[in-house]
Amino acid sequence: MPTPIRVRFAPSPTGYLHIGGVRTALYNWVFARQQGGRMILRVEDTDQERSTDEAIGWILDGLTWLGLDWDEGPIRQSDRFDLYNEHIDRLLTEGKAYRCYCTTEELEVNRKTAILKGTAAKYSGKCRDLKEDERKGEYTIRFRAPQEGQIFVDDMIRGMVMFDEDQMDDLIIRRSDGSPTYNLTVVVDDALMDITHVIRGEDHLSNTPRQIQLYQALGYEIPRFGHMSLILGPDREKLSKRHGAAAVDEFKAMGYMPEAIINYLVRLGWSYEEQEIFSIEEIIKLWSMDDQRKSPSVFDHDKLQWLNGQWMKIIPPEEIARRLVPFLEKEGLGRDDLDMEWLTQVVLTLRERSTTLVQMAQKAEFYFRELTYEPEPAQKFLTPEIEPLLGKAEAFINTVAPFDHETLHTEIKAWLEGEGLKLKALAQPLRIALTYSKDSPGLFEVMEVLGKESTLKRIEKAREWIGAKA
């Protein structure tokens, strides 16, 4: 019977959930769902100074918003220190680790000397075989790394990668304050949690041979590794805040769809024919570890915004309306008596012209309250010459029934033809009267959503504005 697939997402809670971390979580999640496996959420909070409960909350909220659920956890490493120390003590007893009494200053001199000699900037091994009377002062615990031979990693994305053991450092596995360090805790947890596949960023590739040595020293089975290409900014440097939004919370606040973010991130390093838009069901069906690109991917905010606009058209308008409510509230447009059916109609008029929920909420403002006319189009189209036609239009529109966009279009066009006019004679003045702008959704769709009463009221206001200006 094959071993059940078990993967993990193991963020450090030192800040918001970064977009690079999301892609790591996504690839692990998709792989687990494809293989009928399980994903474990592990919080790597051994750095007690920088880790916070608030950051853990941000990570959990971000994953939940994106729909990346987990099967076990969250498991906090800070609750497992006794377990790590048992393993460290075992390595000490077996002579596979030792106490290092070197000071920070000595280590810095050692590092600079190695650089000047052109050798690997690793620990000199000074404390490997100290005599009893030489063991004085504070100490760390170092792993006694094998120094002969080679380590081969059959990486699922990069293929076979080789490391020389004589380049391996004697890693500190317990700090002088008694806390265990990253490489040790990761190995112990992955082994005891029966992790079969470790899928993570390329920046962790250099940790892999060190961790393999620890697996071997502890007698644990080594998992399969897969190291994804990095995500870069437009300047080809690793993606960070200086490139714009880089955290999930920022994209959420900007009005992006979780479906669009998942769709975009899965495409960073993977493609399937010419397809651009993928549902989560399609991703689970089509994504393959074998098709991952080794080269870095550049994060393109414009491409993500375009994709978000596509998803705003795909997601049912009722759902977009529900998601739009908090963004309307931020714009001061919230109402206790908001009619969701009416708001869905608003969404239908705006979604072809919006790429984020923030943008849609801003474009929706004219539906909710009276605004100031845009100066230039108002001066051009709301003139004394057009006022009589607006007056006739107001009277005619009052007779149209039913008050839907198709009937309005047909009836107003026919009425204007009877007046010897084309629709363009009235369209822009009417658009400005109703939306306060020359750039708006379809005129008759707007009239339907506004309703007869508001439509007539706004035409009357425009006529009054023309009169006051004259």
Side-chain angles (χ1 to χ4, degrees):
M1 184 174 179
T3 303
I5 297 296
R6 291 174 62 84
V7 298
R8 45 73 161 183
F9 175 53
S12 297
T14 57
Y16 288 104
L17 180 60
H18 189 274
I19 211 73
V22 173
R23 189 179 63 155
T24 300
L26 172 62
Y27 279 16
N28 278 279
W29 185 89
V30 173
F31 186 69
R33 297 297 173 260
Q34 273 187 343
Q35 304 296 325
R38 296 175 69 80
M39 184 169 95
I40 292 82
L41 177 59
R42 186 171 75 221
V43 179
E44 298 190 339
D45 58 346
T46 57
D47 186 341
Q48 298 289 284
E49 290 185 5
R50 298 176 61 217
S51 299
T52 67
D53 289 342
E54 187 178 29
I56 293 174
W58 293 334
I59 291 167
L60 300 186
D61 289 347
L63 292 174
T64 300
W65 179 68
L66 291 163
L68 300 178
D69 56 343
W70 52 93
D71 303 296
E72 298 175 27
I75 299 166
R76 296 181 61 158
Q77 286 189 329
S78 57
D79 295 332
R80 298 165 64 83
F81 275 25
D82 289 346
L83 188 62
Y84 306 136
N85 282 321
E86 287 176 14
H87 284 76
I88 294 169
D89 292 343
R90 175 152 68 89
L91 290 173
L92 275 170
T93 300
E94 295 174 357
K96 297 174 182 177
Y98 60 92
R99 294 174 177 82
C100 175
Y101 296 85
C102 293
T103 65
T104 303
E105 292 75 20
E106 286 179 287
L107 294 174
E108 181 61 19
V109 170
N110 178 75
R111 187 185 71 83
K112 289 180 178 178
T113 301
I115 292 173
L116 288 172
K117 290 182 177 179
T119 58
K122 65 176 188 175
Y123 179 60
S124 64
K126 175 184 174 183
C127 295
R128 267 185 165 228
D129 300 298
L130 285 180
K131 297 177 181 177
E132 189 64 38
D133 61 355
E134 295 177 303
R135 299 175 182 177
K136 297 176 182 177
E138 283 192 352
Y139 61 85
T140 60
I141 304 297
R142 287 185 182 271
F143 172 61
R144 193 184 298 272
Q147 297 292 297
E148 295 179 357
Q150 295 173 322
I151 295 172
F152 293 90
V153 180
D154 185 11
D155 194 277
M156 291 183 287
I157 296 172
R158 302 188 176 276
M160 193 63 70
V161 186
M162 185 271 288
F163 300 89
D164 289 318
E165 287 196 304
D166 62 7
Q167 300 297 305
M168 297 295 102
D169 205 354
D170 283 0
L171 292 175
I172 293 175
I173 54 177
R174 183 191 287 161
R175 302 179 184 91
S176 59
D177 64 3
S179 61
T181 59
Y182 168 76
N183 281 294
L184 184 283
T185 60
V186 165
V187 167
V188 171
D189 281 341
D190 285 347
L192 297 187
M193 294 176 188
D194 296 320
I195 300 302
T196 60
H197 295 74
V198 174
I199 304 168
R200 56 190 180 184
E202 181 187 5
D203 50 339
H204 283 286
L205 183 59
S206 60
N207 287 322
T208 303
R210 299 181 174 97
Q211 291 169 9
I212 286 175
Q213 287 184 328
L214 283 166
Y215 278 108
Q216 292 169 334
L218 291 166
Y220 287 132
E221 186 174 347
I222 300 168
R224 289 290 311 274
F225 291 94
H227 290 89
M228 306 176 298
S229 61
L230 297 180
I231 303 177
L232 306 180
D235 58 0
R236 308 294 296 183
E237 295 294 328
K238 190 174 179 180
L239 185 69
S240 67
K241 284 187 69 67
R242 71 176 180 277
H243 298 113
V248 171
D249 289 63
E250 293 177 282
F251 287 104
K252 182 179 179 182
M254 290 163 64
Y256 282 84
M257 305 288 105
E259 294 88 346
I261 293 174
I262 292 294
N263 188 162
Y264 182 72
L265 288 178
V266 82
R267 291 276 288 105
L268 283 181
W270 172 79
S271 61
Y272 180 78
E273 298 178 351
E274 299 299 317
Q275 188 170 338
E276 291 281 359
I277 298 173
F278 295 85
S279 67
I280 196 65
E281 293 78 16
E282 288 177 307
I283 291 170
I284 292 172
K285 178 181 178 181
L286 300 173
W287 180 85
S288 170
M289 186 75 74
D290 295 335
D291 296 331
Q292 296 298 307
R293 291 194 296 271
K294 298 178 184 178
S295 57
S297 301
V298 175
F299 193 90
D300 185 340
H301 282 83
D302 291 339
K303 182 66 176 291
L304 173 59
Q305 189 166 7
W306 171 83
L307 194 59
N308 199 66
Q310 301 305 304
W311 272 101
M312 290 183 73
K313 301 178 185 71
I314 295 169
I315 297 169
E318 298 83 2
E319 175 62 17
I320 295 292
R322 186 189 67 80
R323 298 183 191 184
L324 183 63
V325 171
F327 293 90
L328 292 172
E329 291 172 350
K330 287 179 183 178
E331 296 292 328
L333 304 175
R335 300 179 184 166
D336 292 336
D337 61 343
L338 187 59
D339 184 334
M340 293 306 292
E341 287 188 16
W342 175 79
L343 186 58
T344 299
Q345 296 304 308
V346 170
V347 167
L348 285 168
T349 68
L350 295 173
R351 65 178 181 174
E352 295 292 332
R353 310 167 66 84
S354 305
T355 56
T356 67
L357 290 172
V358 167
Q359 196 178 81
M360 181 177 280
Q362 292 169 347
K363 288 180 180 293
E365 185 179 18
F366 75 86
Y367 281 120
F368 288 82
R369 58 188 174 207
E370 295 181 355
L371 305 173
T372 302
Y373 300 118
E374 287 185 3
E376 187 176 338
Q379 292 291 337
K380 181 177 180 181
F381 293 105
L382 296 185
T383 63
E385 292 75 21
I386 202 67
E387 194 276 334
L389 182 59
L390 280 175
K392 290 182 179 180
E394 182 182 353
F396 179 76
I397 290 169
N398 192 34
T399 69
V400 177
F403 205 77
D404 60 67
H405 67 274
E406 292 180 354
T407 306
L408 285 162
H409 187 190
T410 302
E411 294 291 326
I412 292 174
K413 185 178 179 183
W415 168 70
L416 284 169
E417 288 174 354
E419 295 285 324
L421 297 170
K422 292 186 177 181
L423 183 57
K424 68 178 183 180
L426 182 64
Q428 282 297 77
L430 195 55
R431 186 185 307 280
I432 293 161
L434 299 178
T435 70
Y436 310 96
S437 169
K438 66 178 181 179
D439 183 25
S440 77
L443 179 60
F444 302 106
E445 286 81 358
V446 166
M447 293 171 71
E448 178 181 351
V449 175
L450 284 173
K452 182 180 285 190
E453 182 180 347
S454 291
T455 296
L456 296 176
K457 182 180 177 181
R458 292 189 182 193
I459 295 172
E460 179 62 28
K461 180 187 175 184
R463 293 175 62 206
E464 291 173 357
W465 186 87
I466 292 171
K469 185 181 70 169

